[in-house]
Amino acid sequence: MTLAGTLYAAQILFLAYFIAINSAYIVLSLLALATLRRHVERHALDRLPRLYSGLETPISVLVPAYNEAQTIATSVRSLLQLEYPEFEIVVINDGSQDATLKVLIEEFRMAPFPEAYRRKLACARVRGVYRSAEFPNLRVIDKENGGGKADALNAGINAARFPLFCAVDADSILQRDSLWRVVEPFYEDPRTIASGGTVRIANGCSVEGGFLTNVGLPHRLLPLFQVVEYMRAFLFGRLGWSALNSVTLISGAFGVFRRERVIDAGGYRSDCLGEDMELVVRLHRVHRLARRPYRISFVPDPVCWTEAPESLAILGKQRIRWQRGLAESIFMNVRLLFHPRGGAPGWLAMPFLLLFELVSPLVEFAGYAFMLAGLALGIVAPAVVLLFFAVALAFGLLLSVTTLLLEELSFHVYRGPGRLLALLGAALLENVGYRQLVTGYRLVGTWRWLRGSESSWSATPRAATWQKTR
Protein backbone atom coordinates (compact mmCIF):
# COMPACT_ATOMS: atom_id res chain seq x y z
CA MET A 1 0.00 0.00 0.00
CA THR A 2 1.27 3.47 -0.87
CA LEU A 3 1.90 6.16 1.77
CA ALA A 4 -1.16 8.06 0.58
CA GLY A 5 -3.27 4.92 0.90
CA THR A 6 -1.96 4.26 4.40
CA LEU A 7 -2.72 7.82 5.51
CA TYR A 8 -6.20 7.62 4.04
CA ALA A 9 -6.86 4.29 5.81
CA ALA A 10 -5.63 5.73 9.13
CA GLN A 11 -7.96 8.72 8.78
CA ILE A 12 -10.92 6.45 8.09
CA LEU A 13 -9.97 4.17 11.00
CA PHE A 14 -9.84 6.98 13.55
CA LEU A 15 -13.09 8.51 12.33
CA ALA A 16 -14.82 5.10 12.31
CA TYR A 17 -13.65 4.36 15.85
CA PHE A 18 -14.90 7.68 17.19
CA ILE A 19 -18.25 7.20 15.49
CA ALA A 20 -18.52 3.60 16.76
CA ILE A 21 -17.77 4.40 20.39
CA ASN A 22 -20.14 7.35 20.52
CA SER A 23 -22.85 5.42 18.68
CA ALA A 24 -22.58 2.72 21.35
CA TYR A 25 -23.05 5.39 24.02
CA ILE A 26 -26.13 6.67 22.19
CA VAL A 27 -27.63 3.16 22.16
CA LEU A 28 -27.00 2.96 25.92
CA SER A 29 -28.71 6.31 26.39
CA LEU A 30 -31.81 5.08 24.53
CA LEU A 31 -31.92 1.97 26.72
CA ALA A 32 -31.49 4.17 29.78
CA LEU A 33 -34.31 6.47 28.69
CA ALA A 34 -36.75 3.56 28.40
CA THR A 35 -35.64 2.08 31.73
CA LEU A 36 -35.77 5.43 33.51
CA ARG A 37 -39.29 6.11 32.26
CA ARG A 38 -40.53 2.82 33.71
CA HIS A 39 -38.69 3.50 36.97
CA VAL A 40 -40.26 6.94 37.39
CA GLU A 41 -43.74 5.56 36.68
CA ARG A 42 -43.30 2.78 39.27
CA HIS A 43 -42.08 5.21 41.93
CA ALA A 44 -44.54 8.03 41.40
CA LEU A 45 -45.81 7.68 45.01
CA ASP A 46 -42.40 7.55 46.69
CA ARG A 47 -42.96 10.85 48.50
CA LEU A 48 -45.76 9.34 50.56
CA PRO A 49 -44.84 8.04 54.04
CA ARG A 50 -43.20 4.64 53.74
CA LEU A 51 -44.88 1.68 55.43
CA TYR A 52 -42.77 -1.28 56.52
CA SER A 53 -44.15 -4.81 56.54
CA GLY A 54 -41.71 -6.16 59.10
CA LEU A 55 -40.58 -8.77 56.56
CA GLU A 56 -37.75 -6.71 55.07
CA THR A 57 -34.41 -8.50 54.89
CA PRO A 58 -32.01 -7.12 57.53
CA ILE A 59 -28.79 -5.53 56.28
CA SER A 60 -25.24 -5.31 57.63
CA VAL A 61 -23.71 -1.92 56.79
CA LEU A 62 -19.92 -2.33 56.47
CA VAL A 63 -17.75 0.77 56.92
CA PRO A 64 -14.00 0.33 56.25
CA ALA A 65 -12.05 3.01 58.13
CA TYR A 66 -8.37 3.85 57.87
CA ASN A 67 -7.17 7.04 59.61
CA GLU A 68 -10.69 8.54 59.72
CA ALA A 69 -10.46 10.08 63.21
CA GLN A 70 -11.66 13.50 62.01
CA THR A 71 -14.86 12.29 60.36
CA ILE A 72 -15.70 8.82 61.66
CA ALA A 73 -17.98 9.91 64.53
CA THR A 74 -20.11 12.10 62.24
CA SER A 75 -20.26 9.36 59.60
CA VAL A 76 -21.39 6.69 62.07
CA ARG A 77 -24.02 8.97 63.67
CA SER A 78 -25.48 9.68 60.24
CA LEU A 79 -25.62 5.95 59.45
CA LEU A 80 -27.42 5.27 62.73
CA GLN A 81 -30.21 7.57 61.51
CA LEU A 82 -30.89 5.66 58.29
CA GLU A 83 -34.53 4.72 57.75
CA TYR A 84 -34.76 0.93 57.56
CA PRO A 85 -36.51 -1.62 59.81
CA GLU A 86 -33.46 -3.66 60.86
CA PHE A 87 -29.79 -3.09 60.18
CA GLU A 88 -26.45 -3.24 61.93
CA ILE A 89 -23.36 -1.09 61.43
CA VAL A 90 -19.97 -2.78 61.41
CA VAL A 91 -17.03 -0.36 61.35
CA ILE A 92 -13.76 -2.04 60.35
CA ASN A 93 -10.79 -0.19 61.82
CA ASP A 94 -8.14 -1.28 59.34
CA GLY A 95 -5.03 -0.73 61.46
CA SER A 96 -5.46 3.04 61.62
CA GLN A 97 -2.38 5.00 62.71
CA ASP A 98 -4.43 7.86 64.15
CA ALA A 99 -7.09 7.99 66.88
CA THR A 100 -9.90 6.37 64.85
CA LEU A 101 -10.45 3.53 67.32
CA LYS A 102 -10.17 5.84 70.34
CA VAL A 103 -12.77 8.22 68.89
CA LEU A 104 -15.18 5.34 68.27
CA ILE A 105 -14.72 3.96 71.78
CA GLU A 106 -15.30 7.34 73.43
CA GLU A 107 -18.11 8.63 71.20
CA PHE A 108 -20.21 5.46 71.23
CA ARG A 109 -19.24 3.89 74.55
CA MET A 110 -17.63 0.89 72.88
CA ALA A 111 -16.39 -2.01 74.99
CA PRO A 112 -14.63 -5.29 74.11
CA PHE A 113 -17.17 -7.93 73.19
CA PRO A 114 -16.47 -11.69 73.43
CA GLU A 115 -17.71 -12.67 70.00
CA ALA A 116 -16.82 -15.70 67.89
CA TYR A 117 -15.20 -14.48 64.68
CA ARG A 118 -15.58 -16.90 61.76
CA ARG A 119 -13.08 -16.49 58.93
CA LYS A 120 -14.93 -17.45 55.77
CA LEU A 121 -12.80 -15.03 53.77
CA ALA A 122 -9.07 -14.46 54.21
CA CYS A 123 -8.09 -11.17 55.84
CA ALA A 124 -5.46 -9.69 58.14
CA ARG A 125 -5.54 -10.67 61.82
CA VAL A 126 -8.47 -9.35 63.85
CA ARG A 127 -7.25 -7.92 67.15
CA GLY A 128 -10.62 -7.48 68.81
CA VAL A 129 -14.35 -6.83 68.52
CA TYR A 130 -16.13 -3.95 70.27
CA ARG A 131 -19.82 -3.33 70.84
CA SER A 132 -21.58 -0.09 71.74
CA ALA A 133 -23.35 0.14 75.09
CA GLU A 134 -25.50 2.93 73.65
CA PHE A 135 -26.38 1.47 70.24
CA PRO A 136 -26.82 -2.34 70.23
CA ASN A 137 -26.61 -2.47 66.42
CA LEU A 138 -23.13 -0.88 66.31
CA ARG A 139 -19.93 -2.94 66.39
CA VAL A 140 -16.29 -2.23 65.60
CA ILE A 141 -13.85 -4.79 64.21
CA ASP A 142 -10.30 -3.79 65.09
CA LYS A 143 -7.78 -5.48 62.78
CA GLU A 144 -4.27 -5.19 61.51
CA ASN A 145 -3.87 -3.25 58.27
CA GLY A 146 -4.45 -5.49 55.27
CA GLY A 147 -3.12 -3.17 52.61
CA GLY A 148 -6.42 -1.84 51.28
CA LYS A 149 -10.17 -1.60 51.46
CA ALA A 150 -10.70 -5.09 50.03
CA ASP A 151 -9.12 -6.77 53.06
CA ALA A 152 -11.17 -4.61 55.44
CA LEU A 153 -14.39 -5.46 53.62
CA ASN A 154 -13.60 -9.18 53.75
CA ALA A 155 -13.17 -8.86 57.52
CA GLY A 156 -16.51 -7.08 57.71
CA ILE A 157 -18.23 -9.75 55.62
CA ASN A 158 -16.89 -12.38 58.03
CA ALA A 159 -18.38 -10.48 60.96
CA ALA A 160 -21.70 -9.59 59.29
CA ARG A 161 -24.78 -11.23 60.81
CA PHE A 162 -27.35 -10.55 58.11
CA PRO A 163 -28.02 -12.01 54.62
CA LEU A 164 -27.38 -8.70 52.84
CA PHE A 165 -24.42 -6.40 53.35
CA CYS A 166 -23.99 -2.81 52.25
CA ALA A 167 -20.46 -1.55 51.59
CA VAL A 168 -20.18 2.16 52.43
CA ASP A 169 -17.21 4.53 52.34
CA ALA A 170 -16.60 6.27 55.66
CA ASP A 171 -17.03 9.66 53.98
CA SER A 172 -20.16 8.82 51.96
CA ILE A 173 -23.02 11.29 52.33
CA LEU A 174 -26.31 9.41 52.22
CA GLN A 175 -29.99 10.17 52.12
CA ARG A 176 -32.04 8.78 55.00
CA ASP A 177 -33.95 6.42 52.71
CA SER A 178 -30.81 5.27 50.85
CA LEU A 179 -30.91 1.72 52.22
CA TRP A 180 -34.53 1.25 51.30
CA ARG A 181 -34.07 2.53 47.76
CA VAL A 182 -30.99 0.49 46.94
CA VAL A 183 -32.42 -2.73 48.37
CA GLU A 184 -35.69 -2.57 46.37
CA PRO A 185 -34.37 -4.72 43.48
CA PHE A 186 -33.96 -7.62 45.94
CA TYR A 187 -37.71 -7.50 46.63
CA GLU A 188 -38.71 -6.97 43.01
CA ASP A 189 -36.62 -9.92 41.76
CA PRO A 190 -35.49 -12.69 44.17
CA ARG A 191 -32.64 -13.56 41.80
CA THR A 192 -30.92 -10.24 42.60
CA ILE A 193 -27.47 -10.69 44.14
CA ALA A 194 -26.19 -7.10 43.99
CA SER A 195 -27.56 -3.60 43.61
CA GLY A 196 -26.04 -0.14 43.38
CA GLY A 197 -27.38 3.39 43.17
CA THR A 198 -26.44 6.70 41.61
CA VAL A 199 -23.56 8.59 43.20
CA ARG A 200 -23.59 12.38 42.84
CA ILE A 201 -21.03 15.11 43.57
CA ALA A 202 -21.44 16.79 46.98
CA ASN A 203 -19.17 19.78 46.28
CA GLY A 204 -21.28 22.91 46.60
CA CYS A 205 -24.05 21.17 48.56
CA SER A 206 -25.06 21.75 52.17
CA VAL A 207 -24.69 18.88 54.63
CA GLU A 208 -25.74 18.71 58.25
CA GLY A 209 -25.25 15.76 60.59
CA GLY A 210 -23.88 13.67 57.74
CA PHE A 211 -27.02 14.08 55.58
CA LEU A 212 -27.58 16.21 52.50
CA THR A 213 -29.88 19.16 53.28
CA ASN A 214 -29.52 21.31 50.16
CA VAL A 215 -28.36 20.55 46.63
CA GLY A 216 -25.96 22.99 45.03
CA LEU A 217 -23.28 23.14 42.36
CA PRO A 218 -19.54 23.62 42.79
CA HIS A 219 -18.18 27.11 42.17
CA ARG A 220 -15.00 25.76 40.56
CA LEU A 221 -14.83 24.31 37.05
CA LEU A 222 -12.96 21.10 37.87
CA PRO A 223 -15.61 19.63 40.22
CA LEU A 224 -18.38 21.09 38.02
CA PHE A 225 -17.08 19.07 35.07
CA GLN A 226 -17.21 16.00 37.30
CA VAL A 227 -20.89 16.66 38.11
CA VAL A 228 -21.71 16.26 34.41
CA GLU A 229 -19.31 13.32 34.12
CA TYR A 230 -20.89 11.44 37.04
CA MET A 231 -24.39 12.08 35.72
CA ARG A 232 -23.38 10.69 32.34
CA ALA A 233 -21.70 7.63 33.82
CA PHE A 234 -24.60 6.71 36.11
CA LEU A 235 -27.76 7.97 34.41
CA PHE A 236 -27.25 6.38 31.03
CA GLY A 237 -24.06 4.34 31.35
CA ARG A 238 -24.97 1.99 34.18
CA LEU A 239 -28.70 2.42 33.75
CA GLY A 240 -28.42 1.35 30.11
CA TRP A 241 -26.41 -1.75 31.03
CA SER A 242 -28.86 -2.57 33.82
CA ALA A 243 -31.56 -3.17 31.21
CA LEU A 244 -29.34 -5.96 29.82
CA ASN A 245 -28.37 -7.35 33.25
CA SER A 246 -24.81 -6.35 32.41
CA VAL A 247 -23.85 -3.76 35.03
CA THR A 248 -20.09 -4.19 35.54
CA LEU A 249 -19.51 -1.70 38.34
CA ILE A 250 -21.27 -0.96 41.61
CA SER A 251 -19.56 1.98 43.24
CA GLY A 252 -17.53 1.17 46.33
CA ALA A 253 -19.09 4.23 47.95
CA PHE A 254 -22.49 2.51 48.31
CA GLY A 255 -23.71 -0.90 47.16
CA VAL A 256 -25.69 -3.87 48.52
CA PHE A 257 -24.74 -7.53 47.99
CA ARG A 258 -26.09 -10.92 48.94
CA ARG A 259 -23.50 -12.06 51.48
CA GLU A 260 -23.40 -15.80 50.72
CA ARG A 261 -23.04 -15.23 46.96
CA VAL A 262 -20.04 -12.96 47.55
CA ILE A 263 -18.48 -15.51 49.90
CA ASP A 264 -19.05 -18.26 47.32
CA ALA A 265 -17.27 -16.09 44.72
CA GLY A 266 -14.26 -15.57 47.01
CA GLY A 267 -14.92 -12.08 48.39
CA TYR A 268 -12.95 -8.99 47.45
CA ARG A 269 -9.50 -9.35 45.87
CA SER A 270 -6.73 -7.45 47.63
CA ASP A 271 -4.45 -7.62 44.58
CA CYS A 272 -6.72 -5.41 42.45
CA LEU A 273 -6.90 -1.61 42.58
CA GLY A 274 -10.51 -1.71 41.38
CA GLU A 275 -11.77 -4.24 43.91
CA ASP A 276 -15.37 -3.00 43.61
CA MET A 277 -15.51 -3.45 39.83
CA GLU A 278 -13.56 -6.70 39.85
CA LEU A 279 -16.01 -8.27 42.29
CA VAL A 280 -19.02 -7.38 40.13
CA VAL A 281 -17.39 -8.67 36.93
CA ARG A 282 -16.40 -11.86 38.77
CA LEU A 283 -19.97 -12.34 40.01
CA HIS A 284 -21.11 -12.19 36.38
CA ARG A 285 -18.45 -14.71 35.37
CA VAL A 286 -19.10 -17.16 38.18
CA HIS A 287 -22.87 -17.15 37.75
CA ARG A 288 -22.87 -17.17 33.94
CA LEU A 289 -20.42 -20.04 33.62
CA ALA A 290 -22.25 -22.06 36.29
CA ARG A 291 -25.63 -21.32 34.64
CA ARG A 292 -26.83 -20.02 38.00
CA PRO A 293 -29.78 -17.58 37.75
CA TYR A 294 -28.94 -14.10 39.04
CA ARG A 295 -29.46 -10.41 38.50
CA ILE A 296 -27.22 -7.42 39.21
CA SER A 297 -29.29 -4.25 39.32
CA PHE A 298 -28.84 -0.51 39.29
CA VAL A 299 -31.11 2.05 40.98
CA PRO A 300 -31.09 5.44 39.21
CA ASP A 301 -32.15 7.32 42.36
CA PRO A 302 -29.40 9.58 43.77
CA VAL A 303 -28.82 7.67 47.02
CA CYS A 304 -25.21 8.63 47.75
CA TRP A 305 -23.14 11.81 47.48
CA THR A 306 -19.36 12.03 47.53
CA GLU A 307 -16.70 14.72 47.40
CA ALA A 308 -14.98 15.18 44.04
CA PRO A 309 -11.29 16.09 43.70
CA GLU A 310 -10.74 19.84 43.40
CA SER A 311 -7.09 19.68 42.36
CA LEU A 312 -5.51 18.21 39.24
CA ALA A 313 -3.02 16.21 41.31
CA ILE A 314 -5.73 14.35 43.22
CA LEU A 315 -7.89 13.93 40.10
CA GLY A 316 -4.94 12.44 38.24
CA LYS A 317 -4.18 9.88 40.95
CA GLN A 318 -7.85 8.90 41.10
CA ARG A 319 -8.27 8.41 37.34
CA ILE A 320 -4.97 6.56 36.96
CA ARG A 321 -6.10 4.16 39.71
CA TRP A 322 -9.53 3.73 38.12
CA GLN A 323 -8.06 2.91 34.72
CA ARG A 324 -5.64 0.39 36.14
CA GLY A 325 -8.47 -1.18 38.15
CA LEU A 326 -10.48 -1.43 34.92
CA ALA A 327 -7.66 -3.30 33.16
CA GLU A 328 -7.16 -5.66 36.09
CA SER A 329 -10.90 -6.36 36.34
CA ILE A 330 -11.11 -7.27 32.66
CA PHE A 331 -8.13 -9.59 32.53
CA MET A 332 -8.73 -11.24 35.89
CA ASN A 333 -12.07 -12.34 34.43
CA VAL A 334 -11.13 -12.69 30.77
CA ARG A 335 -12.78 -16.14 30.60
CA LEU A 336 -16.14 -14.37 30.48
CA LEU A 337 -15.20 -12.62 27.22
CA PHE A 338 -17.04 -14.31 24.33
CA HIS A 339 -17.70 -17.40 26.46
CA PRO A 340 -20.54 -19.54 25.03
CA ARG A 341 -22.44 -19.03 28.30
CA GLY A 342 -21.36 -15.40 28.68
CA GLY A 343 -24.68 -13.86 27.62
CA ALA A 344 -24.88 -10.07 27.37
CA PRO A 345 -22.11 -9.52 29.95
CA GLY A 346 -19.66 -11.68 27.99
CA TRP A 347 -20.69 -10.72 24.46
CA LEU A 348 -21.59 -7.05 24.92
CA ALA A 349 -20.36 -5.56 28.21
CA MET A 350 -16.90 -7.13 28.27
CA PRO A 351 -16.07 -6.24 24.63
CA PHE A 352 -17.34 -2.73 25.33
CA LEU A 353 -15.04 -2.42 28.35
CA LEU A 354 -12.11 -3.75 26.38
CA LEU A 355 -12.55 -1.81 23.11
CA PHE A 356 -14.23 1.40 24.28
CA GLU A 357 -13.04 1.87 27.87
CA LEU A 358 -9.58 0.31 28.09
CA VAL A 359 -8.34 0.95 24.54
CA SER A 360 -10.09 4.29 23.92
CA PRO A 361 -7.46 6.51 25.63
CA LEU A 362 -4.76 5.09 23.36
CA VAL A 363 -6.87 5.46 20.20
CA GLU A 364 -8.08 8.93 21.16
CA PHE A 365 -4.56 10.15 21.97
CA ALA A 366 -3.19 8.60 18.78
CA GLY A 367 -6.01 10.16 16.78
CA TYR A 368 -5.33 13.65 18.13
CA ALA A 369 -1.58 13.27 17.58
CA PHE A 370 -2.00 11.87 14.06
CA MET A 371 -4.39 14.61 12.95
CA LEU A 372 -2.36 17.48 14.40
CA ALA A 373 0.96 16.11 13.12
CA GLY A 374 -0.57 15.41 9.73
CA LEU A 375 -1.92 18.95 9.54
CA ALA A 376 1.45 20.44 10.52
CA LEU A 377 3.28 18.34 7.92
CA GLY A 378 0.70 19.02 5.24
CA ILE A 379 -0.17 15.36 4.71
CA VAL A 380 -3.69 15.57 6.17
CA ALA A 381 -6.20 17.99 4.69
CA PRO A 382 -7.51 20.71 7.04
CA ALA A 383 -11.07 19.62 6.21
CA VAL A 384 -10.36 16.11 7.54
CA VAL A 385 -8.89 17.49 10.77
CA LEU A 386 -11.86 19.78 11.20
CA LEU A 387 -14.27 16.91 10.60
CA PHE A 388 -12.42 14.73 13.12
CA PHE A 389 -12.59 17.29 15.92
CA ALA A 390 -16.15 18.27 14.98
CA VAL A 391 -17.30 14.65 15.27
CA ALA A 392 -15.59 14.26 18.67
CA LEU A 393 -17.07 17.53 19.97
CA ALA A 394 -20.55 16.95 18.55
CA PHE A 395 -20.89 13.43 19.95
CA GLY A 396 -19.52 14.45 23.33
CA LEU A 397 -21.90 17.38 23.55
CA LEU A 398 -24.84 15.25 22.39
CA LEU A 399 -24.21 12.67 25.10
CA SER A 400 -23.86 15.30 27.82
CA VAL A 401 -27.01 17.17 26.76
CA THR A 402 -28.91 13.87 26.58
CA THR A 403 -27.79 13.16 30.15
CA LEU A 404 -29.08 16.56 31.31
CA LEU A 405 -32.38 15.84 29.54
CA LEU A 406 -32.70 12.52 31.37
CA GLU A 407 -32.00 14.32 34.64
CA GLU A 408 -34.62 17.00 33.99
CA LEU A 409 -37.25 14.48 32.91
CA SER A 410 -36.74 12.30 35.98
CA PHE A 411 -35.24 13.57 39.23
CA HIS A 412 -34.76 17.28 38.55
CA VAL A 413 -32.19 17.46 41.34
CA TYR A 414 -30.54 20.70 40.23
CA ARG A 415 -33.42 23.17 40.32
CA GLY A 416 -33.44 26.64 38.82
CA PRO A 417 -32.53 28.00 35.36
CA GLY A 418 -29.16 29.27 36.64
CA ARG A 419 -28.01 25.80 37.65
CA LEU A 420 -29.26 24.27 34.41
CA LEU A 421 -27.35 26.86 32.38
CA ALA A 422 -24.23 26.17 34.45
CA LEU A 423 -24.53 22.46 33.72
CA LEU A 424 -25.06 23.13 30.00
CA GLY A 425 -21.99 25.34 29.97
CA ALA A 426 -19.94 22.65 31.71
CA ALA A 427 -21.24 20.04 29.25
CA LEU A 428 -19.89 22.17 26.41
CA LEU A 429 -16.59 23.21 27.98
CA GLU A 430 -15.60 19.77 29.28
CA ASN A 431 -15.09 18.59 25.71
CA VAL A 432 -12.29 21.09 25.20
CA GLY A 433 -9.44 20.44 27.60
CA TYR A 434 -10.96 18.45 30.45
CA ARG A 435 -11.85 15.40 28.37
CA GLN A 436 -8.36 15.33 26.84
CA LEU A 437 -6.78 15.71 30.29
CA VAL A 438 -8.72 12.73 31.65
CA THR A 439 -7.74 10.76 28.55
CA GLY A 440 -4.11 11.45 29.39
CA TYR A 441 -4.55 10.22 32.98
CA ARG A 442 -6.27 7.07 31.74
CA LEU A 443 -3.45 6.48 29.26
CA VAL A 444 -0.94 6.65 32.14
CA GLY A 445 -3.05 4.13 34.09
CA THR A 446 -3.08 1.74 31.14
CA TRP A 447 0.68 2.13 30.65
CA ARG A 448 1.41 1.38 34.30
CA TRP A 449 -0.73 -1.74 34.08
CA LEU A 450 1.04 -2.88 30.92
CA ARG A 451 4.42 -2.34 32.57
CA GLY A 452 3.33 -4.43 35.51
CA SER A 453 4.61 -1.86 37.99
CA GLU A 454 3.79 -2.54 41.62
CA SER A 455 0.23 -1.53 42.48
CA SER A 456 -0.85 0.03 45.72
CA TRP A 457 -4.22 1.29 46.89
CA SER A 458 -4.48 4.75 48.42
CA ALA A 459 -7.59 6.64 49.46
CA THR A 460 -8.43 9.89 47.70
CA PRO A 461 -7.67 12.79 50.06
CA ARG A 462 -10.81 14.66 51.11
CA ALA A 463 -11.29 18.26 52.15
CA ALA A 464 -14.22 17.09 54.34
CA THR A 465 -15.84 20.52 54.15
CA TRP A 466 -19.24 18.83 54.35
CA GLN A 467 -18.61 17.95 58.00
CA LYS A 468 -18.05 21.61 58.90
CA THR A 469 -21.19 22.82 57.15
CA ARG A 470 -24.00 23.89 59.43
Side-chain angles (χ1 to χ4, degrees):
M1 182 181 290
T2 64
L3 177 61
T6 302
L7 292 175
Y8 179 77
Q11 295 172 31
I12 296 298
L13 177 64
F14 285 126
L15 283 173
Y17 183 87
F18 272 64
I19 292 173
I21 186 173
N22 287 288
S23 297
Y25 282 128
I26 290 175
V27 172
L28 283 177
S29 69
L30 294 176
L31 288 172
L33 181 60
T35 304
L36 188 59
R37 180 179 178 181
R38 292 194 298 269
H39 177 84
V40 171
E41 290 174 351
R42 288 201 310 268
H43 295 79
L45 302 178
D46 273 359
R47 293 187 178 182
L48 295 178
R50 192 179 300 281
L51 298 177
Y52 297 107
S53 67
L55 301 177
E56 289 81 7
T57 306
I59 301 175
S60 297
V61 180
L62 309 183
V63 189
Y66 177 72
N67 292 346
E68 302 279 359
Q70 291 184 344
T71 60
I72 193 63
T74 301
S75 298
V76 172
R77 288 196 183 279
S78 68
L79 292 174
L80 287 167
Q81 300 175 60
L82 289 172
E83 297 174 352
Y84 196 78
E86 185 178 4
F87 66 96
E88 66 170 353
I89 298 173
V90 181
V91 181
I92 305 99
N93 179 46
D94 193 30
S96 297
Q97 302 298 310
D98 64 358
T100 298
L101 181 60
K102 181 181 178 182
V103 169
L104 288 166
I105 291 173
E106 293 178 353
E107 289 286 333
F108 302 102
R109 298 171 57 199
M110 309 295 299
F113 187 68
E115 175 179 303
Y117 182 81
R118 298 175 177 84
R119 282 174 54 100
K120 291 192 174 183
L121 297 173
C123 64
R125 186 177 71 88
V126 172
R127 296 183 291 214
V129 179
Y130 296 79
R131 182 175 178 179
S132 172
E134 184 178 358
F135 302 98
N137 64 332
L138 173 61
R139 286 180 295 152
V140 172
I141 307 299
D142 181 37
K143 62 183 287 291
E144 295 178 352
N145 184 267
K149 189 167 65 172
D151 190 84
L153 284 171
N154 284 340
I157 294 171
N158 289 337
R161 296 173 175 170
F162 296 143
L164 301 180
F165 75 85
C166 177
V168 181
D169 281 350
D171 52 11
S172 291
I173 303 166
L174 306 179
Q175 298 181 179
R176 279 189 166 84
D177 63 350
S178 291
L179 274 183
W180 175 260
R181 289 184 180 274
V182 79
V183 84
E184 280 189 13
F186 289 86
Y187 303 134
E188 295 173 352
D189 189 341
R191 299 172 300 171
T192 301
I193 62 171
S195 173
T198 296
V199 178
R200 295 288 180 95
I201 299 300
N203 304 52
C205 298
S206 299
V207 179
E208 294 182 15
F211 289 102
L212 189 84
T213 56
N214 183 58
V215 175
L217 287 176
H219 298 294
R220 300 178 61 185
L221 271 179
L222 190 61
L224 185 60
F225 288 151
Q226 293 172 75
V227 171
V228 177
E229 191 179 24
Y230 270 56
M231 289 172 60
R232 186 169 57 243
F234 284 94
L235 266 188
F236 81 75
R238 296 181 198 177
L239 187 57
W241 285 118
S242 182
L244 302 173
N245 192 23
S246 299
V247 174
T248 55
L249 174 60
I250 291 177
S251 174
F254 191 77
V256 174
F257 297 83
R258 201 171 292 280
R259 179 173 175 266
E260 288 303 320
R261 295 293 184 98
V262 172
I263 291 175
D264 291 345
Y268 289 89
R269 290 188 62 154
S270 298
D271 59 345
C272 180
L273 286 181
E275 75 287 330
D276 47 1
M277 181 177 192
E278 194 282 326
L279 173 63
V280 176
V281 176
R282 179 159 27 102
L283 287 172
H284 279 296
R285 174 174 61 82
V286 168
H287 286 78
R288 282 284 175 182
L289 271 56
R291 291 194 176 97
R292 193 174 183 183
Y294 77 103
R295 181 159 187 84
I296 296 176
S297 298
F298 173 76
V299 178
D301 305 67
V303 295
C304 178
W305 300 71
T306 189
E307 183 180 325
E310 295 199 0
S311 73
L312 292 178
I314 298 175
L315 178 70
K317 290 179 181 178
Q318 181 194 66
R319 299 313 170 89
I320 290 170
R321 186 180 75 246
W322 285 3
Q323 186 70 9
R324 180 158 184 169
L326 166 68
E328 291 172 345
S329 299
I330 293 173
F331 284 92
M332 285 178 176
N333 298 280
V334 72
R335 284 186 60 203
L336 180 62
L337 182 66
F338 298 129
H339 193 281
R341 297 194 294 273
W347 288 82
L348 295 177
M350 286 287 280
F352 181 92
L353 291 177
L354 181 62
L355 296 176
F356 294 150
E357 296 290 345
L358 183 61
V359 176
S360 65
L362 177 60
V363 177
E364 190 170 346
F365 178 82
Y368 291 141
F370 174 82
M371 292 296 176
L372 292 177
L375 180 64
L377 296 174
I379 56 178
V380 177
V384 174
V385 177
L386 182 62
L387 176 62
F388 176 82
F389 283 100
V391 168
L393 179 62
F395 271 119
L397 185 59
L398 175 62
L399 294 173
S400 296
V401 171
T402 302
T403 301
L404 296 181
L405 177 62
L406 288 176
E407 162 66 24
E408 285 299 302
L409 291 176
S410 54
F411 304 108
H412 196 51
V413 172
Y414 302 99
R415 300 181 182 275
R419 291 175 178 174
L420 183 59
L421 286 174
L423 289 172
L424 283 172
L428 176 62
L429 291 175
E430 69 156 349
N431 289 282
V432 183
Y434 177 76
R435 177 176 172 178
Q436 290 73 27
L437 179 67
V438 171
T439 297
Y441 291 143
R442 294 171 60 199
L443 192 59
V444 172
T446 303
W447 171 246
R448 290 184 181 177
W449 169 74
L450 287 171
R451 286 179 54 196
S453 56
E454 185 178 351
S455 62
S456 61
W457 189 93
S458 60
T460 301
R462 305 287 186 182
T465 54
W466 52 269
Q467 177 170 286
K468 304 172 186 176
T469 306
R470 296 294 301 172

